[in-house]
Amino acid sequence: MSIGITIRQSMSRKSERNQPTRSRSDSLPDIDIDLLPDPVIIADANTRQIVEANTAAEELFHCRGSDLVGRHQRDLHPSDYGDYREAFQRASDGERVNRLSNGQPLYIETLDGQRIPVEINVRRLDTSTGTFILGVFREVAEQLERERRLDATTTRLEALLDALPVPVAVLDSNGIVERWNQQAEATFGYAHESVVGEAYPLFIEDREFDELFEQILDGGMLDGYETQHRARDGSRVPVELYARPLYEDGTFSGLIGASVDLSDRKQREQQL
């Protein structure tokens, strides 16, 4: 999230507000942060005390700007402040931060005790009157809900894949394995953790894989394509392949494929 800051020499909004507010610091640079649509807090870089808050910040924290001015930066967050210091440092380094180092959402705490998940972005302001920290906040409750639903869908998908009686793999747009079900482990001997994040390992000839992958990349499918796969122990397994392309927003994102083990069928055919 880039931050565009418009600097004006007038701070007329203070006099236009009907509600009284705590007087702003005399050393604060003349920046009209009310021009920004996102909640913005400015704090002294040395003391970390808040010196200014815009109207959007008042709405986010459920209070007047005067209730925020003079408070310490850590008072914006729940009391377990150690993780928040680390998150603030990452934001200061230019990272968009919406989670703590332990993966939990980053929250602000309103003056009435509500916790709201946010993303923060931080800029350092070096002025003739001092150094300040400008923090921009954005609510991410909807984003977190989408992530939760996606995680739930992914969990269901993985459970479904593991329940299938045939080896199944999901590859990304570069042919790298993203998912590898339990039957694939049992059939070919490659553990999930040794395959995910690596190139698909089973084709005897790389050229064959490249040709088939290109076919699926172009929108084609595999329906009963017979070939051989090489298991981890070096043995060759006759298989019948089925594969379909996957798309995200109309763009090819990979494929899902199944390998049906033909060993038993081939053996019966030889006995006839």
Side-chain angles (χ1 to χ4, degrees):
M1 174 175 59
S2 61
I3 306 173
I5 305 297
T6 303
I7 300 180
R8 301 197 313 189
Q9 296 304 312
S10 170
M11 294 295 292
S12 59
R13 76 181 189 283
K14 285 290 185 180
S15 60
E16 294 172 356
R17 290 180 182 169
N18 294 326
Q19 294 181 331
T21 59
R22 184 178 300 177
S23 59
R24 61 195 299 271
S25 170
D26 292 336
S27 61
L28 183 65
D30 289 330
I31 303 174
D32 191 348
I33 56 178
D34 265 345
L35 293 176
L36 297 176
D38 293 317
V40 175
I41 298 287
I42 297 180
D44 186 284
N46 295 317
T47 66
R48 301 292 177 163
Q49 286 187 319
I50 297 168
V51 294
E52 181 72 348
N54 70 349
T55 302
E58 294 179 344
E59 296 173 357
L60 176 64
F61 287 92
H62 302 173
C63 65
R64 297 179 302 174
S66 60
D67 296 323
L68 293 170
V69 172
R71 297 171 66 90
H72 195 279
Q73 169 189 312
R74 64 171 172 264
D75 295 335
L76 301 179
H77 304 285
S79 58
D80 46 348
Y81 183 56
D83 285 334
Y84 285 86
R85 283 200 298 268
E86 185 276 335
F88 183 82
Q89 184 57 55
R90 284 188 283 125
S92 299
D93 293 338
E95 183 179 342
R96 291 188 301 177
V97 178
N98 62 14
R99 291 189 181 274
L100 302 176
S101 58
N102 61 8
Q104 294 300 309
L106 176 68
Y107 289 97
I108 59 96
E109 189 167 68
T110 66
L111 264 64
D112 55 6
Q114 295 186 45
R115 289 190 175 191
I116 299 174
V118 297
E119 175 184 272
I120 61 172
N121 199 343
V122 175
R123 286 289 181 88
R124 182 185 178 94
L125 299 177
D126 292 309
T127 74
S128 59
T129 56
T131 302
F132 301 88
I133 301 297
L134 183 147
V136 179
F137 299 76
R138 178 168 293 177
E139 289 191 50
V140 293
E142 292 184 1
Q143 176 184 331
L144 293 179
E145 176 59 21
R146 288 194 299 270
E147 292 177 1
R148 186 197 65 77
R149 291 197 299 266
L150 178 60
D151 288 343
T153 300
T154 299
T155 299
R156 290 194 296 269
L157 173 60
E158 291 176 346
L160 174 62
L161 293 181
D162 281 337
L164 294 175
V166 296
V168 176
V170 177
L171 312 185
D172 69 9
S173 58
N174 295 311
I176 302 301
V177 178
E178 290 186 331
R179 290 183 175 82
W180 185 258
N181 76 343
Q182 292 179 2
Q183 191 59 43
E185 291 187 5
T187 302
F188 302 112
Y190 287 95
H192 175 274
E193 57 270 17
S194 69
V195 174
V196 171
E198 304 292 337
Y200 189 76
L202 301 180
F203 278 91
I204 297 171
E205 298 291 338
D206 291 340
R207 179 178 56 82
E208 183 181 21
F209 172 79
D210 292 341
E211 291 175 352
L212 294 175
F213 191 82
E214 188 69 26
Q215 176 182 330
I216 298 170
L217 176 63
D218 291 338
M221 298 179 290
L222 299 182
D223 283 300
Y225 175 86
E226 289 195 25
T227 186
Q228 288 187 330
H229 276 349
R230 182 169 50 211
R232 188 173 183 273
D233 62 5
S235 62
R236 297 192 176 195
V237 181
V239 294
E240 193 172 66
L241 301 183
Y242 297 84
R244 298 289 187 274
L246 300 174
Y247 297 94
E248 291 182 9
D249 298 326
T251 301
F252 177 76
S253 61
L255 65 86
I256 182 169
S259 305
V260 179
D261 185 355
L262 300 180
S263 298
D264 290 343
R265 192 179 84 183
K266 294 292 185 182
Q267 187 175 11
R268 288 195 301 270
E269 290 174 354
Q270 292 175 358
Q271 293 173 349
L272 294 177

